[in-house]
Amino acid sequence: MTNVTWALVTGASSGIGAEFSRQLAQRGHNLILVARTKTAMMELADEIRSTHGREVEVICQDLTESQAALAVVDQVRRLGHDVDVLVNNAGFGTVGHFESIPADREHDEVMLNVVALTDLTKQFIPDMAARGRGSVINVASTAGFNPAAYFAVYSSTKAYVLNFSLSLWSEYQGRGVKVLAVAPGPVATPFFANSGIVRESLGPRATSPEFVVSKSLKALDRNRGYVVPGGGNFVMAHLMPRRPRRFIAKLSRKFTRPALRASGSRPL
C-alpha cells in the first residue's frame, strides 16, 4: 500500500504559502490549502493537480476567528486525512504609531500570527508524535530578532514564533518530529500591500518566494531548527546585538522610520 502523505499550508492563496504548496507537491505530498480567498486557492489547486498530479483539498477559513483552528481540524477529519507536514504561513503586519493603528486590526494580527499558529500546531503535533514522524514549519521574520519601533505588534508576534518554534524543536528531538522557524527578510509577495507597508522603504532588495521556500525545505531536511534565507538577511539578523535592550529598542527607530514615512505617518 502506498504511503500517502498530506501537507497543510495556511495562507496558501499567494506568495510564500502558494510556493510552499508547489514545492511540497513537487516533493510528493498531497495538499490541503487553507486561506480566506477561495478563488485563488482553487486556481492553485488546479495548477498543482495538472503539474504534479497530486491530490489537493481546499478549506476556506478566516484564521483570525477565535475557533478557526478547531474549524480547520474538523474539516480535515471529515476529509479523512492525517497531516504529515503543517506549514503555518498565514500572517500580516502593521506599521505606524501604536496609538494610531486600529485596535481591531492589531487584534486580528495577534489572532492570526500567534493564536491560529499555536492552535493549529497544538492540534496536529500530538498525532505526529504518536506516529513518530511529521514536520511543522512556522513562518516568522527577521523582524522577530529584535524590537522594532513602529512595528511593535508585528515584530513581537514574530519573536513569539521564533521562540515557540525553537522551543518545540528542542522538545521533539529524537521523537521523529521536526520543527522549523523560517525568518525571511523582505520577500516579493502581496504581504506588503496587504499590510499597508511600502516594500521599498525597507531596502531595495527582496528575495523571491521560490528562494525562501527552497532554502526552508533544505533546512527542514537537516532539522536545523530555524533558517534565515539569504546571506545578507542572515548577517543583518545576527549582526545586531541583543543587549542592552533599551539601546537596541531606541536604535530600531533609525531603521524603521523609512517605512513609517512611506505609510503616510509622521515620525514623532
Side-chain angles (χ1 to χ4, degrees):
M1 181 178 178
T2 303
N3 184 23
V4 178
T5 58
W6 287 84
L8 186 151
V9 182
T10 70
S13 58
S14 65
I16 294 174
E19 187 57 30
F20 262 117
S21 302
R22 294 185 183 99
Q23 292 195 29
L24 286 168
Q26 188 174 16
R27 284 180 165 223
H29 296 285
N30 295 328
L31 273 299
I32 303 171
L33 311 180
V34 181
R36 292 186 301 178
T37 311
K38 186 174 183 179
T39 301
M41 284 194 294
M42 295 300 292
E43 292 174 355
L44 178 61
D46 288 341
E47 175 195 328
I48 290 172
R49 291 185 189 110
S50 63
T51 303
H52 302 291
R54 310 312 307 175
E55 294 183 55
V56 185
E57 307 280 7
V58 171
I59 296 176
C60 190
Q61 175 64 50
D62 183 351
L63 292 175
T64 66
E65 296 176 356
S66 61
Q67 299 299 315
L70 293 177
V72 170
V73 170
D74 182 61
Q75 293 186 67
V76 171
R77 286 174 177 165
R78 289 181 185 178
L79 293 168
H81 304 317
D82 291 327
V83 172
D84 301 281
V85 180
L86 171 64
V87 181
N88 285 307
N89 163 74
F92 73 89
T94 51
V95 58
H97 298 290
F98 179 70
E99 77 275 11
S100 69
I101 301 172
D104 58 349
R105 180 70 171 162
E106 294 200 310
H107 177 271
D108 285 349
E109 188 175 1
V110 174
M111 292 298 293
L112 184 58
N113 295 8
V114 173
V115 177
L117 177 146
T118 305
D119 287 352
L120 285 168
T121 305
K122 189 74 169 180
Q123 290 295 321
F124 288 116
I125 209 169
D127 288 341
M128 294 179 186
R131 293 192 299 268
R133 69 178 192 279
S135 301
V136 178
I137 301 173
N138 293 325
V139 178
S141 168
T142 52
F145 283 93
N146 282 296
Y150 313 122
F151 290 83
V153 173
Y154 178 70
S155 64
S156 298
T157 63
K158 294 307 182 179
Y160 172 88
V161 174
L162 280 169
N163 285 322
F164 174 69
S165 302
L166 281 169
S167 297
L168 293 185
W169 170 78
S170 176
E171 185 174 334
Y172 285 93
Q173 291 291 303
R175 299 177 64 185
V177 179
K178 298 177 181 178
V179 181
L180 177 75
V182 180
V187 185
T189 72
F191 169 87
F192 295 98
N194 295 338
S195 302
I197 302 168
V198 177
R199 187 197 63 75
E200 288 75 13
S201 66
L202 298 176
R205 298 180 64 83
T207 52
S208 69
E210 293 83 359
F211 175 80
V212 169
V213 173
S214 175
K215 290 294 185 182
S216 299
L217 293 177
K218 289 177 182 177
L220 181 70
D221 291 340
R222 297 170 63 186
N223 198 20
R224 291 287 302 274
Y226 83 104
V227 61
V228 182
N233 291 328
F234 184 88
V235 170
M236 289 302 296
H238 295 86
L239 184 63
M240 187 176 291
R242 305 289 180 259
R243 302 286 195 281
R245 290 186 180 275
R246 284 188 293 271
F247 171 75
I248 299 304
K250 289 181 179 179
L251 184 63
S252 73
R253 296 178 65 179
K254 176 180 178 181
F255 298 100
T256 55
R257 272 199 187 101
L260 183 69
R261 292 192 185 98
S263 72
S265 298
R266 180 176 62 86
L268 300 176

